[in-house]
Amino acid sequence: MANNNSVIVGESSVNKVNDRVILVQILVLVFLCINFLLITTFFMKDVFYTTMRYILFANTLLSDCLFLFMTDVLLILSYFHFTLQMWLCLVMYIVLSVHTFVTPLTLTAMTLERYVAICMPLRHTDLCSTRSSLRCVLIIHGLSSVPCFVILSIFFASATHSFYYQGRVCSAEVFILYSWQVHLRSAISQFYFLIMCIIIVFSYIEIMKVAKAASGENKKSTWKGLRTVILHAFQLLLCLIQLWCPFIEAAILQINFRLYISVRYFNYITFILTPRCLSPLIYGLRDEMFFHALKYYALCGLYKKPLNFFGLMKS
C-alpha cells in the first residue's frame, strides 16, 4: 500500500508509524472477534438465516471480515516493503476490488428491504423470501465484479507474460497501466454510488411519508426503520469518500511524505475501518431480536431472557 519510491524519513518517524501499525492490528483484531461472534449467532437459529435482512447482514459481516483482513495483510507487507509475485498480488487485488463494492451494495439492498417492509408490508413475505435473499446476494457479487472486470480486461490485454512473475510491493496502482484507467475506474465507482444514493434517498422519503401517517406501534417501528436508513446513508457516504482517498493521497505524496503517511493512516481508520464497524452496531446491537440472541450466546446461556423472546431460543 505504500509507494515503492517512498523514502525513509528518519528513525523517529518510523517509530511513530510502528505505533500506528500496532494500533491498527488491535482495532482489526477486535473487529474480527466481534464479527466472529455475530456470525456465530447468525448461524445458531434458523430465524436468522431464513430472514432476508439477517442474510444480508451476514453477507456484510463476511465481506467486511475478508476485506479488512486482506487490507491489513497488505498494510503490513507494504510497510516492511515485502514483495509479492504479481500473479499472487493479482488474486488479492481481485478479491479486494470485488469486496470494496459488496458492502455498499448490500447496504443499499438492506435499505430496500426496509422500504418494502414498511411501505409494502403485504408484499414483504413474497419479495423478501429466503430464495430472493440468496438471489440478491448473487446479484450483489455480480455487480461488484463489474468494475474489477473492466479494469483487468484492459490490464490483461496489455501486460506481458513475464509481468506476472515479477516481484513488487503489492498495490492496486500496479495494475493501472494508463492514466485514463484511473479516470475510468473513478467514473464507474461514482456511477455506482450515484445510483445507490438515489435509492437510499428515495427509500428515506417514502419511509418518511409512512412515518408521518403511522400511529402507535406502527409509528415507532417506522421511525426505527427510518433511523436505520439514515445510518446506512452515513455508511455509504464514508464508503464513497474512500474512493476519493487515492487521489488526495497521491497529491499529498508529491508535497510531503510525512504528511502523506499521516493522511493515509487517517483515511484507513476513518473510511475503511469505521464504515465496516457500523454494521455490527446497526443490526448487531440495535436489532432487539439479534441483540438478545447475541447476549445469550456471548454469556454461554447465562442470560435467560431470550428463552421466551418470541420463541427465539426455543428448541
Side-chain angles (χ1 to χ4, degrees), residues 20-80:
R20 292 174 174 179
V21 171
I22 291 172
L23 177 59
V24 169
Q25 305 315 304
I26 295 173
L27 291 175
V28 170
L29 180 61
V30 170
F31 175 85
L32 292 177
C33 289
I34 293 174
N35 272 18
F36 176 77
L37 181 58
L38 292 170
I39 293 170
T40 301
T41 302
F42 168 79
F43 283 107
M44 294 303 292
K45 287 295 174 180
D46 59 0
V47 68
F48 295 138
Y49 54 80
T50 58
T51 305
M52 186 174 196
R53 69 176 183 270
Y54 296 119
I55 293 174
L56 295 176
F57 173 50
N59 184 57
T60 303
L61 293 177
L62 292 170
S63 175
D64 289 348
C65 286
L66 180 59
F67 184 86
L68 281 179
F69 174 76
M70 295 191 69
T71 54
D72 189 50
V73 170
L74 287 180
L75 173 69
I76 296 172
L77 292 177
S78 62
Y79 177 72
F80 293 104

Side-chain angles (χ1 to χ4, degrees), residues 92-119:
M92 298 180 73
Y93 170 76
I94 292 173
V95 175
L96 285 174
S97 180
V98 170
H99 285 273
T100 296
F101 288 91
V102 167
T103 292
L105 284 171
T106 306
L107 292 175
T108 306
M110 293 169 82
T111 299
L112 285 174
E113 187 276 333
R114 289 294 82 198
Y115 163 75
V116 173
I118 294 172
C119 300

Side-chain angles (χ1 to χ4, degrees), residues 16-289:
K16 188 175 182 180
V17 176
N18 271 332
D19 296 337
R20 292 174 174 179
V21 171
I22 291 172
L23 177 59
V24 169
Q25 305 315 304
I26 295 173
L27 291 175
V28 170
L29 180 61
V30 170
F31 175 85
L32 292 177
C33 289
I34 293 174
N35 272 18
F36 176 77
L37 181 58
L38 292 170
I39 293 170
T40 301
T41 302
F42 168 79
F43 283 107
M44 294 303 292
K45 287 295 174 180
D46 59 0
V47 68
F48 295 138
Y49 54 80
T50 58
T51 305
M52 186 174 196
R53 69 176 183 270
Y54 296 119
I55 293 174
L56 295 176
F57 173 50
N59 184 57
T60 303
L61 293 177
L62 292 170
S63 175
D64 289 348
C65 286
L66 180 59
F67 184 86
L68 281 179
F69 174 76
M70 295 191 69
T71 54
D72 189 50
V73 170
L74 287 180
L75 173 69
I76 296 172
L77 292 177
S78 62
Y79 177 72
F80 293 104
H81 297 284
F82 289 130
T83 59
L84 294 176
Q85 287 194 341
M86 284 298 96
W87 67 266
L88 180 57
C89 181
L90 176 63
V91 173
M92 298 180 73
Y93 170 76
I94 292 173
V95 175
L96 285 174
S97 180
V98 170
H99 285 273
T100 296
F101 288 91
V102 167
T103 292
L105 284 171
T106 306
L107 292 175
T108 306
M110 293 169 82
T111 299
L112 285 174
E113 187 276 333
R114 289 294 82 198
Y115 163 75
V116 173
I118 294 172
C119 300
M120 296 186 293
L122 298 180
R123 299 192 61 190
H124 183 264
T125 302
D126 295 330
L127 294 177
C128 300
S129 64
T130 303
R131 178 176 296 181
S132 298
S133 303
L134 297 178
R135 289 175 180 173
C136 184
V137 170
L138 291 177
I139 292 172
I140 287 170
H141 283 80
L143 291 175
S144 300
S145 303
V146 172
C148 177
F149 175 79
V150 172
I151 296 300
L152 288 184
S153 62
I154 300 169
F155 171 77
F156 290 144
S158 305
T160 61
H161 179 73
S162 61
F163 177 86
Y164 298 101
Y165 298 96
Q166 295 178 10
R168 295 189 185 183
V169 176
C170 186
S171 69
E173 286 71 25
V174 299
F175 302 104
I176 304 297
L177 303 179
Y178 309 102
S179 59
W180 57 266
Q181 284 179 269
V182 177
H183 301 294
L184 176 62
R185 181 178 63 179
S186 176
I188 295 173
S189 300
Q190 300 303 329
F191 173 75
Y192 268 56
F193 278 89
L194 175 62
I195 298 300
M196 287 186 278
C197 288
I198 292 174
I199 291 173
I200 286 183
V201 170
F202 168 79
S203 300
Y204 177 86
I205 293 174
E206 293 300 314
I207 293 174
M208 176 69 79
K209 292 178 181 178
V210 174
K212 289 182 177 180
S215 60
E217 289 299 320
N218 288 336
K219 192 177 188 69
K220 181 180 178 181
S221 175
T222 302
W223 280 105
K224 185 176 180 180
L226 192 62
R227 289 193 295 269
T228 300
V229 172
I230 294 174
L231 287 171
H232 286 334
F234 179 66
Q235 280 183 282
L236 191 62
L237 175 62
L238 294 178
C239 292
L240 175 60
I241 296 175
Q242 176 193 339
L243 297 178
W244 299 335
C245 290
F247 301 102
I248 299 172
E249 293 166 4
I252 294 176
L253 181 59
Q254 304 301 319
I255 302 172
N256 187 298
F257 180 71
R258 290 187 181 184
L259 181 59
Y260 165 79
I261 292 295
S262 298
V263 170
R264 189 152 196 161
Y265 174 78
F266 173 81
N267 288 343
Y268 185 82
I269 296 294
T270 307
F271 304 120
I272 294 182
L273 281 182
T274 301
R276 287 165 176 82
C277 291
L278 287 176
S279 292
L281 171 65
I282 295 174
Y283 274 96
L285 299 180
R286 291 183 68 253
D287 186 281
E288 192 174 5
M289 183 181 293

